[in-house]
């Protein structure tokens, strides 16, 4: 009995002691630039592509623009709105949601907080009953990418440099956003090699399909087995399984969103890079400069919003003739002579 | 106590009150203090001030109406899943399927809400949706119940595996038949919205708290009545304590298991109302977000008592919402670790403190 009260006393003393052990208050935010809040999707950070790109853009803005950037990674679905709202209610200058899943919450909050700027990476434009596109609120900037254009170019690379009439594609969640990658890729393959065949696999129909490396490896192994030499993945961290399969079987993979060479050095032919980092940085810069406007901002080849990696690492994997051909294609797309489809 | 004039079998009222107080207060106090000390060390390891982190946590949860509303919203779902797991454990069956039962209930409620014509009044539509949610969750719960009673299949394995089956089926169903393009959710339901707390008090504006909380509290009261005041509840507890003895006393253990798991699933299923009718007005894939699994911890910390479950749900809801608020100072994973520390502290220290209390009393007697 007495021992219990002694235990309570000791614990209480330890707790109070530890409370006083650290004299500093909350770490003060430094910087004089705009205050920015970035909310990732559940389990998004650490995907080494899309979400981490937004993180890079935010930290770069903190470093070079003096922006005070807060990052929130929600623990569950209902926290997405809570995270955005927390930042909006605190009077942030810009609140940014990373991923199409934030679309509804961003739209609602932008109407509710007309003085706060909002931006949504991959914001999905909704259509009304009559089929007309509903524009986002005037304080909301929809950062959209023409992924199909970059995918077209890596499709051409896969067909020209892969050495097989069969090329592979691994998608994450089976949704229109990912179909854009597939459609552009297929068009790129077919443009340079009309009798080629594209093998397509999707990891699932839920957001889980973007973080399932086991499934990614399974699909990739079966495609390599079927004679594919190169696989382009658009599947978040599911793609880590595709790289694993490429390394194991000595084949090639094409990364997505960011330069993914480091995931399987020597086996990453190139990566279809999506400029999430510059787009996020640009949104913060526009808030700082006072010329932030709502509406859709579309980033494609012409804006350097999408592209492919060609550097000292993978130069050996892409012959000069292929490189020249792909650069020619890039110019033709920018000039509008090639129309890249964005739907299957 | 040794000098008491009364016989040992009739302890003095004052001593009895004191003993009851010690028994109810000391175990959670010890557990909380252990958790706090470990929390202090964790926060210090991140180079932050524990006092600052705790203050931010309280400010973001109980410190303003919005935070409080969010806490109450999360408490609602966790109360349902906690009660669901608790009623199973009272009958001696461990339901790990609350996650998929919650999702199935939410989906069933959304289907009924979408099917009802627009003119149906809320007073009719909401009970219909609640009934659908209970049926949806209860149907999922019935499967492990029947398999256990008829074939002796262990309910832990069945409920775990059913989570995958049910969630995959729901996702397939919604993704292929119902969803709005470029989203993961069904169209919006226009009938049977549950009133928000902010409708009654404007200060709660923006928070998701809604009248489903009242349903959750009613469910807790009803479950307490059922468990401790009805014959069926007595049978259920008897089977939970010792199935063979209960069978000998004329109770069908198999029947009780089926009933308990169906009730468990139904309670978890009604929890789906909180999100589907109270918050978003649509069913979205993955809305359960682990609340079903956290229900196990809630039941454990609440010691399978309806009142305890409500309090434990409040604690975990506070930690979850507070986790968002302190995100600026410490990583999200630290909050998850802290939740686990709370669970461990309760699991280890509560029985231990009770044992010490009881043995101390025996020595005194």
């Amino acid at each position: 009995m007495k021992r219990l009260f002694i235990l309570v006393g000791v614990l209480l003393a330890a707790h109070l002691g530890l409370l006083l052990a650290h004299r500093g208050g909350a770490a003060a935010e430094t910087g004089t630039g705009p205050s920015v809040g970035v909310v990732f999707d559940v389990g998004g950070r650490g995907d080494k592509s899309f979400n981490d790109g937004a993180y890079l853009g935010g930290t770069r803005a903190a470093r070079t623009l003096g922006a005070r950037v807060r990052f929130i990674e929600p623990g569950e679905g209902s926290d997405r709105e809570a995270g955005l709202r927390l930042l909006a209610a605190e009077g942030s200058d810009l609140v940014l949601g990373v991923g199409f899943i934030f679309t509804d919450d961003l739209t609602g909050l932008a109407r509710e907080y007309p003085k706060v700027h909002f931006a949504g990476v991959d914001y999905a434009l909704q259509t009304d009953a009559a089929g007309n596109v509903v524009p986002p609120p005037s304080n909301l900037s929809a950062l959209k990418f023409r992924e199909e254009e970059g995918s077209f170019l890596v499709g051409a690379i896969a067909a020209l440099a892969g050495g097989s009439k069969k090329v592979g594609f691994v998608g994450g969640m089976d949704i229109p956003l990912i179909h854009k990658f597939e459609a552009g890729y297929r068009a790129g393959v077919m443009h340079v090699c009309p009798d080629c065949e594209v093998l397509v696999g999707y990891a699932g129909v839920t957001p889980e399909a973007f973080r399932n490396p086991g499934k990614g490896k399974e699909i990739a192994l079966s495609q390599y087995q079927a004679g594919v030499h190169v696989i382009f993945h658009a599947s978040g961290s599911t793609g880590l399984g595709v790289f694993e399969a490429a390394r194991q079987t000595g084949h090639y993979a094409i990364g997505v969103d960011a330069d993914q060479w480091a995931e399987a050095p020597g086996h990453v032919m190139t990566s279809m890079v999506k400029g999430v980092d510059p787009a996020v940085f640009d949104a913060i810069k526009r808030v700082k400069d006072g010329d932030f406007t709502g509406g859709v901002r579309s980033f494609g080849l012409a804006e350097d919003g999408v592209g492919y990696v060609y550097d000292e690492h993978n130069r050996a994997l892409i012959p000069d003739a292929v490189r020249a051909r792909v650069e020619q294609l890039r110019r033709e797309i920018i000039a509008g002579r090639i129309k890249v489809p964005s739907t299957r | 106590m040794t000098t008491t004039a009364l016989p040992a079998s009739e302890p003095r009222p004052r001593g009895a009150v004191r003993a009851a107080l010690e028994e109810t207060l000391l175990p959670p106090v010890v557990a909380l203090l252990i958790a706090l000390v470990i929390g202090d060390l964790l926060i210090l390891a991140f180079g932050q001030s524990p006092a600052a982190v705790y203050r931010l946590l309280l400010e973001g949860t109980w410190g303003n109406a919005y935070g409080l509303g969010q806490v109450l919203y999360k408490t609602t779902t966790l109360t349902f899943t906690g009660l669901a797991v608790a009623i199973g454990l009272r009958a001696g069956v461990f339901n790990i399927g609350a996650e998929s039962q919650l999702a199935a209930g939410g989906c069933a409620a959304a289907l009924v809400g979408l099917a009802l014509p627009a003119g149906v009044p809320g007073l009719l539509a909401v009970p219909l949706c609640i009934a659908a949610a209970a049926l949806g969750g209860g149907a999922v719960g019935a499967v492990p119940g029947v398999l256990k009673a008829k074939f002796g299949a262990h309910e832990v394995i069945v409920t775990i595996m059913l989570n995958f089956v049910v969630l995959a089926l729901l996702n397939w169903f919604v993704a292929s038949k119902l969803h709005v393009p470029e989203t993961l959710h069904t169209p919006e339901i226009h009938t049977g919205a549950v009133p928000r707390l902010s409708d009654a008090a404007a200060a709660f504006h923006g928070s998701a708290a809604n009248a489903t909380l009242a349903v959750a509290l009613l469910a807790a009261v009803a479950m307490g009545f059922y468990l401790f005041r009805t014959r069926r509840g007595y049978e259920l507890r008897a089977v939970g304590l010792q199935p063979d003895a209960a069978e000998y006393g004329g109770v069908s253990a198999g029947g009780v298991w089926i009933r308990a798991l169906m009730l468990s699933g139904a309670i978890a299923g009604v929890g789906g109302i909180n999100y589907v009718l109270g918050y978003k007005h649509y069913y979205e894939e993955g809305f359960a977000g682990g609340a079903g699994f956290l229900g196990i911890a809630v039941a454990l910390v609440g010691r399978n008592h309806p009142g305890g479950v409500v309090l434990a749900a409040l604690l975990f809801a506070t930690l979850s919402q507070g986790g968002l608020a302190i995100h600026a100072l410490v990583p999200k994973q630290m909050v998850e670790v802290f939740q686990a520390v709370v669970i461990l502290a309760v699991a280890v220290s509560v029985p231990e403190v009770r044992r010490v209390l009881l043995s101390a009393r025996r020595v005194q007697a």
Side-chain angles (χ1 to χ4, degrees):
Chain A
M1 198 61 228
K2 227 177 237 160
R3 280 187 302 160
L4 275 180
F5 284 110
I6 293 171
L7 177 66
V8 169
V10 168
L11 285 171
L12 202 61
H15 177 53
L16 291 176
L18 288 169
L19 277 187
L20 296 174
H22 194 289
R23 300 308 302 259
E29 285 175 326
T30 53
T32 53
S35 64
V36 178
V38 180
V39 185
F40 299 104
D41 192 9
V42 176
R45 277 279 283 121
D47 62 356
K48 293 181 181 161
S49 62
F50 188 71
N51 286 277
D52 286 352
Y55 179 77
L56 271 181
T59 45
R60 201 150 58 87
R63 217 170 40 242
T64 60
L65 303 176
R68 293 157 291 154
V69 186
R70 259 185 80 177
F71 298 100
I72 289 188
E73 191 184 345
E76 55 174 296
S78 71
D79 285 345
R80 278 190 216 111
E81 187 200 348
L84 294 172
R85 189 177 283 278
L86 196 78
L87 295 164
E90 274 179 3
S92 301
D93 297 311
L94 173 68
V95 177
L96 213 141
V98 184
F100 76 100
I101 202 149
F102 286 93
T103 299
D104 293 346
D105 293 329
L106 280 171
T107 313
L109 283 168
R111 296 217 174 89
E112 205 174 305
Y113 292 91
K115 294 216 175 74
V116 177
H117 303 295
F118 290 87
V121 177
D122 275 354
Y123 180 92
L125 292 170
Q126 301 292 314
T127 48
D128 61 15
N132 299 315
V133 172
V134 182
S138 61
N139 57 333
L140 198 164
S141 180
L143 311 177
K144 292 182 76 72
F145 295 86
R146 300 198 296 279
E147 292 93 348
E148 65 274 15
E149 296 183 355
S151 302
F152 185 97
L153 297 187
V154 297
I157 294 175
L160 294 171
S164 166
K165 290 279 178 202
K166 287 181 177 172
V167 292
F169 175 81
V170 173
M173 188 178 167
D174 199 344
I175 46 171
L177 179 70
I178 303 303
H179 299 163
K180 278 206 287 187
F181 292 82
E182 187 202 327
Y185 180 70
R186 185 188 296 275
V189 171
M190 294 304 174
H191 188 86
V192 299
C193 171
D195 59 341
C196 275
E197 189 191 346
V198 182
L199 274 64
V200 175
Y202 279 87
V205 294
T206 70
E208 209 46 49
F210 286 121
R211 28 180 192 270
N212 191 346
K215 182 86 184 180
K217 185 174 175 184
E218 197 181 296
I219 301 174
L221 284 177
S222 77
Q223 291 189 355
Y224 289 135
Q225 196 85 49
V228 164
H229 286 184
V230 189
I231 295 176
F232 173 41
H233 90 89
S235 60
S237 56
T238 297
L240 300 180
V242 177
F243 293 121
E244 177 64 30
R247 190 166 39 214
Q248 214 172 70
T249 61
H251 289 99
Y252 297 102
I254 296 177
V256 77
D257 295 343
D259 182 0
Q260 296 191 305
W261 171 266
E263 296 309 320
H267 296 277
V268 180
M269 187 168 267
T270 180
S271 296
M272 198 292 277
V273 289
K274 183 165 156 179
V276 177
D277 165 359
V280 166
F281 183 84
D282 174 64
I284 298 173
K285 187 167 185 309
R286 282 187 286 141
V287 169
K288 183 188 158 88
D289 298 344
D291 58 359
F292 184 95
T293 49
V296 178
R297 283 181 88 84
S298 177
F299 299 87
L301 285 177
E303 296 84 7
D304 259 336
V306 295
Y308 67 95
V309 175
Y310 181 77
D311 61 10
E312 70 275 12
H313 294 307
N314 67 345
R315 195 162 289 152
L317 301 178
I318 302 177
D320 287 345
V322 172
R323 162 81 175 165
R325 177 87 194 272
V326 172
E327 283 304 297
Q328 176 61 30
L329 290 173
R330 175 210 291 276
R331 284 190 291 276
E332 287 182 42
I333 292 172
I334 293 175
R337 284 197 294 277
I338 297 178
K339 290 270 178 278
V340 182
S342 60
T343 51
R344 295 199 281 195
Chain B
M1 278 257 230
T2 41
T3 59
T4 177
L6 291 164
S9 59
E10 286 177 48
R12 287 177 308 177
R14 228 189 97 241
V17 169
R18 194 187 147 176
L21 264 181
E22 278 169 356
E23 206 170 309
T24 44
L25 285 183
L26 262 182
V29 164
V30 170
L32 191 69
L33 280 172
I34 292 175
L36 277 175
V37 169
I38 296 177
D40 292 336
L41 293 172
L42 279 171
I43 295 166
L44 283 172
F46 280 104
Q48 293 290 351
S49 146
V53 170
Y54 290 138
R55 195 174 60 236
L56 204 57
L57 191 144
L58 282 179
E59 278 171 6
T61 53
W62 295 79
N64 64 72
Y66 169 71
L68 181 59
Q70 285 297 106
V71 169
L72 293 178
Y73 168 76
K74 286 166 183 261
T75 303
T76 308
T77 308
L78 290 178
T79 299
F80 280 113
T81 56
L83 290 175
V85 177
I87 199 169
L89 288 175
R90 283 283 179 178
V93 284
F94 199 174
N95 176 16
I96 307 189
E99 183 82 4
S100 58
Q101 290 150 8
L102 176 65
C107 191
L111 282 179
V112 169
L114 286 170
L116 288 174
V120 178
L123 274 179
L124 180 65
V126 170
L128 278 176
C129 289
I130 291 180
L135 277 177
V140 177
V143 176
V146 170
L147 290 182
K148 182 181 177 74
K150 301 291 177 216
F151 307 107
H154 202 292
E155 79 280 359
V156 168
I157 307 292
V158 178
T159 50
I160 290 178
M161 298 321 286
L162 259 190
N163 277 334
F164 295 103
V165 175
V166 171
L167 290 176
L169 277 176
L170 289 176
N171 290 342
W172 165 79
F173 179 67
V174 171
S176 60
K177 312 275 178 211
L178 270 179
H179 79 128
V180 178
E182 298 241 3
T183 70
L184 308 172
H185 57 71
T186 64
E188 206 160 304
I189 304 165
H190 295 291
T191 51
V194 171
R196 289 258 188 127
L197 195 57
S198 51
D199 299 343
F204 287 99
H205 178 78
S207 75
N210 60 76
T212 313
L213 176 62
V215 182
L217 296 178
L218 271 178
V221 172
M223 187 173 129
F225 183 82
Y226 177 81
L227 278 181
F228 302 111
R229 292 279 181 275
T230 68
R231 203 187 55 140
R232 294 249 160 157
Y234 178 79
E235 287 176 3
L236 189 148
R237 286 185 293 129
V239 169
L241 288 172
Q242 181 37 269
D244 292 340
E247 288 260 12
Y248 186 73
V251 181
S252 151
V256 166
W257 284 329
I258 295 178
R259 206 185 322 137
L261 280 166
M262 276 178 72
L263 274 175
S264 177
I267 297 171
V270 175
I273 295 288
N274 193 35
Y275 182 91
V276 172
L277 292 190
Y279 177 33
K280 287 288 193 184
H281 307 297
Y282 51 65
Y283 169 86
E284 184 173 42
E285 289 172 27
F287 83 88
F293 295 118
L294 201 53
I296 298 169
V298 170
L300 174 75
V301 173
R303 300 187 35 248
N304 300 330
H305 190 283
V309 164
V310 173
L311 290 178
L314 205 57
L315 172 69
F316 280 101
T318 305
L319 285 178
S320 167
Q321 179 64 18
L324 275 184
I326 62 173
H327 211 310
L329 298 182
V330 289
K332 162 186 138 205
Q333 282 77 3
M334 208 225 80
V335 179
E336 286 166 8
V337 172
F338 189 66
Q339 280 194 347
V341 168
V342 170
I343 297 167
L344 281 175
V346 171
V348 173
S349 72
V350 167
E352 184 62 18
V353 169
R354 292 180 157 256
R355 195 185 58 77
V356 173
L357 274 176
L358 279 179
S359 69
R361 202 159 298 145
R362 225 169 277 133
V363 168
Q364 283 170 338

